């Protein structure tokens, strides 16, 4: 059987979760796999008493993860909010894996997501043949999570229409899901809760009602605070990608990752890292996730069409793809950055030449 391209977090990090459970010394909430303290250790990384090393899944403010995990131990749901690429889905998956041992109860929010994706649906062949019955009911991830006392995840909540969003109100406040067709209801088992994610670039698309907002505790995930922090995030995620894809390439030099992250941070901020030169910002977000994609793409180019060592020629196509989303406006932004910043840095001459050749 072919190897799975990307394992769920609970399988990929099964050894870490097992060790945390073996070394557990804190009280565990009902139907949780680990204590809140151990869940945060799983997210932030650390060394256990037996010397076992837990790799960090989130590099950033520990207090944010403590607030997020503590929220799930209450009767309020958790909303992870922030710019694209701030690891909202990543954090959501890993929290669900550590709390419930199952991160797969997911509803993907889109403009076409209907009530039946959150509440329940029907097997229409069975419904027409026998009428409403338990066997004709199609359970959603949210319903299964309620039955089993697990975490349900709702991705991109604000992309779902407001009327559909509000189907969550009864679930979150009463911890029950009425099924009027069967004159019954599903009552949530202890351990059930919801983690939703929302993108602040979608602000105004489908705003949450005030009633629904009150059911969530919102944790805003910021962009990485420092260059070193963002570089480490990119390095660790690229290393995981290289292992999973089995690329025949050398691990990228930290200096190359540092250059990518510097470019993204400067263009995002609209100023160079020394605060001496003001810059125009492109229309895209230039998130950490996009920096990871640029390095991954460069590694694939170097592995299959280069010498296996990541260099400026391998990286530049990915940088251009990330920066130049608008072929007119963003191209001007990029050309100005090339001439005023990249060209002036002695150790970036190779990047400048590769960029000029590509343009």
């Amino acid at each position: 059987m072919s190897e799975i391209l990307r394992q769920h977090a609970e399988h990929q990090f099964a050894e870490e979760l097992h060790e945390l459970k073996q070394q557990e010394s804190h009280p565990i909430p009902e139907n949780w796999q680990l204590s809140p303290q151990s869940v945060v250790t799983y997210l932030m990384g650390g060394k256990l008493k037996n010397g076992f090393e837990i790799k960090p899944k989130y590099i950033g403010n520990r207090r944010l993860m403590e607030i997020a995990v503590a929220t799930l131990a209450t009767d309020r749901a958790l909303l992870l909010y922030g710019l694209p690429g701030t690891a909202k889905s990543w954090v959501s998956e890993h929290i669900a894996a550590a709390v419930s041992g199952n991160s797969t109860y997911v509803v993907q929010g889109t403009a076409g997501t209907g009530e039946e994706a959150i509440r329940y649906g029907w097997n229409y062949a069975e419904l027409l043949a026998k009428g409403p019955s338990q066997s004709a009911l199609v359970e959603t991830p949210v319903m299964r999570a309620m039955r089993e006392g697990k975490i349900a995840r709702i991705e991109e909540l604000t992309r779902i229409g407001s009327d559909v969003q509000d189907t969550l109100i009864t679930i979150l406040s009463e911890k029950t899901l009425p099924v009027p067709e069967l004159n019954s209801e599903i009552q949530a088992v202890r351990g059930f809760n919801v983690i939703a994610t929302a993108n602040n670039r979608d602000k105004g698309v489908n705003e949450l009602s005030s009633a629904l907002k009150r059911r969530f505790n919102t944790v805003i995930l910021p962009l990485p605070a420092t260059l070193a922090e963002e570089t480490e995030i990119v390095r660790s995620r690229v290393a995981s990608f290289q292992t999973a894809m089995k690329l025949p390439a050398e691990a990228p030099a930290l200096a190359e990752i540092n250059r990518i992250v510097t470019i993204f941070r400067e263009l995002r901020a609209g100023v160079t890292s020394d605060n001496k030169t003001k810059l125009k910002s492109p229309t895209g977000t230039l998130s950490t996730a996009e920096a990871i994609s640029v390095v991954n793409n460069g590694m694939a180019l170097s592995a299959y069409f280069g010498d296996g060592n990541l260099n400026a020629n391998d990286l530049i196509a990915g940088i251009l793809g990330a920066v130049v989303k608008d072929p007119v406006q963003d191209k001007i932004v990029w050309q100005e950055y090339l001439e005023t910043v990249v060209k002036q840095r002695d150790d970036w001459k190779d990047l400048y030449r590769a960029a000029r050749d590509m343009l």
Side-chain angles (χ1 to χ4, degrees), residues 14 34 81 87 89 111 116 178 210 226 315 350:
L34 299 169
Y81 189 70
S89 298
E116 69 281 356
S210 58
T226 65
L315 290 171
D350 57 335

Side-chain angles (χ1 to χ4, degrees), residues 9-22:
E10 59 269 24
H11 302 305
Q12 187 178 354
F13 296 96
E15 186 182 8
E16 290 189 10
L17 292 168
H18 173 75
E19 287 294 331
L20 281 162
K21 199 164 188 175
Q22 292 295 106

